[in-house]
Amino acid sequence: MGIDKKRIVILVSGSGSNAQAIIDACAKGTINGDVVKVISNVPEAFALERAELAGIPAISIDHKSFDGRENFDLALADEIDSVRPDLIVLAGFMRILSNNFVNKYIGKLLNIHPSLLPKYPGLSTHQRAIDNMDQEHGTSVHFVTPELDGGPVVLQAKVPVFEGDDVDELALRVLAQEHKIYPIVINWLCNERISLSAMKVLFDGQVLPECGYASD
Ligand code: NHR
Ligand code: GAR
């Protein structure tokens, strides 16, 4: 009964702990999907080893060997299309994607970003939270749109920032939450409970507020 399993491609650049959480959730059945491929733009990313250990096809497409973003994105799209995914999830993926790429897959593309968006789009989010003496920080899962880290948020998780925290401590606290909330949102998309409509998130047909579900 219910909805057929969805085919998931994960895009990574680094350690891949979020990719691991997604792979594990698919294996346990808490995500109604299968990871059919892991693609890295960084050939030495540990995420590729994690995929191979789980028996999932893993490849790298080194952005440095392409002339321009558009050509890298075209090669990436070819690899993605070869496995006919239903959704594509960015998990620590560190390359900005061109408008053409994003528009091709819009509604099927999710990202997890390590801040409470709309605070701190872009890079070095943990350092910025510490420098500004924020008392709370966190992570956001959002649909990817052409505007960098500007797509509508589906779900956020907050963490406290303690006095004397360094970037590594804060990043680990955020990662622990990411491993919980990303599989939840991916499962919602697999089960067709969320969708992107006119740059807003619909959850069971209802428009979500700007900062997503379960925010206060
Ligand atoms: N692409 C689009 N169009 N829209 C988004 O919302 C995207 C995106 C690509 C990646 C992830 C994002 C994040 O969660 C993401 C969201 C990389 C950079 C970046 O500046 C910024 C944001 C994100 C990912 N990358 C540099 C670049 O020139 C390279 C940095 C590096 O290699 O260390 O691409 O934070
Ligand atoms: C995660 O915290 C993710 O939110 C962040 O990088 C980490 C990747 O960890 N993403 C970005 O900064 C995107 N620019 P992981 O490789 O262990 O999943």
Side-chain angles (χ1 to χ4, degrees), residues 40-60:
S40 174
N41 67 305
V42 177
E44 58 278 8
F46 184 61
L48 293 170
E49 285 175 51
R50 294 183 189 265
E52 277 157 18
L53 282 169
I56 294 165
I59 61 154
S60 67

Side-chain angles (χ1 to χ4, degrees), residues 24-195:
D24 293 347
C26 289
K28 276 196 302 188
T30 50
I31 290 177
N32 186 26
D34 291 313
V35 179
V36 294
K37 194 170 234 176
V38 173
I39 306 175
S40 174
N41 67 305
V42 177
E44 58 278 8
F46 184 61
L48 293 170
E49 285 175 51
R50 294 183 189 265
E52 277 157 18
L53 282 169
I56 294 165
I59 61 154
S60 67
I61 307 175
D62 188 347
H63 65 272
K64 293 199 281 309
S65 58
F66 290 84
D67 193 6
R69 281 186 197 272
E70 292 279 347
N71 287 323
F72 168 73
D73 286 2
L74 286 172
L76 182 59
D78 275 347
E79 278 301 331
I80 290 170
D81 293 343
S82 73
V83 294
R84 297 174 291 100
D86 301 296
L87 52 152
I88 301 139
V89 303
L90 279 52
F93 184 68
M94 298 306 292
R95 294 302 296 172
I96 295 171
L97 296 163
S98 58
N99 291 359
N100 285 341
F101 181 96
V102 172
N103 286 326
K104 177 171 181 180
Y105 300 108
I106 199 148
K108 299 177 164 192
L109 271 175
L110 291 173
N111 179 42
I112 191 156
H113 178 76
S115 79
L116 295 172
L117 289 171
K119 247 190 168 177
Y120 310 139
L123 304 177
S124 309
T125 58
H126 309 306
Q127 188 64 58
R128 287 193 273 165
I130 290 170
D131 291 348
N132 289 333
M133 293 188 287
D134 291 353
Q135 300 208 350
E136 60 179 22
H137 183 47
T139 182
S140 306
V141 179
H142 65 96
F143 278 105
V144 175
T145 67
E147 187 192 341
L148 186 66
D149 296 324
V153 171
V154 184
L155 184 62
Q156 297 185 321
K158 289 179 180 170
V159 302
V161 184
F162 297 120
E163 253 180 75
D165 267 347
D166 64 23
V167 165
D168 292 346
E169 288 167 316
L170 187 53
L172 278 178
R173 202 171 302 131
V174 169
L175 271 174
Q177 294 304 312
E178 293 189 331
H179 301 159
K180 292 184 185 167
I181 70 169
Y182 210 5
I184 291 172
V185 175
I186 291 168
N187 191 45
W188 286 340
L189 189 55
C190 286
N191 285 329
E192 301 172 10
R193 296 196 62 189
I194 53 169
S195 60

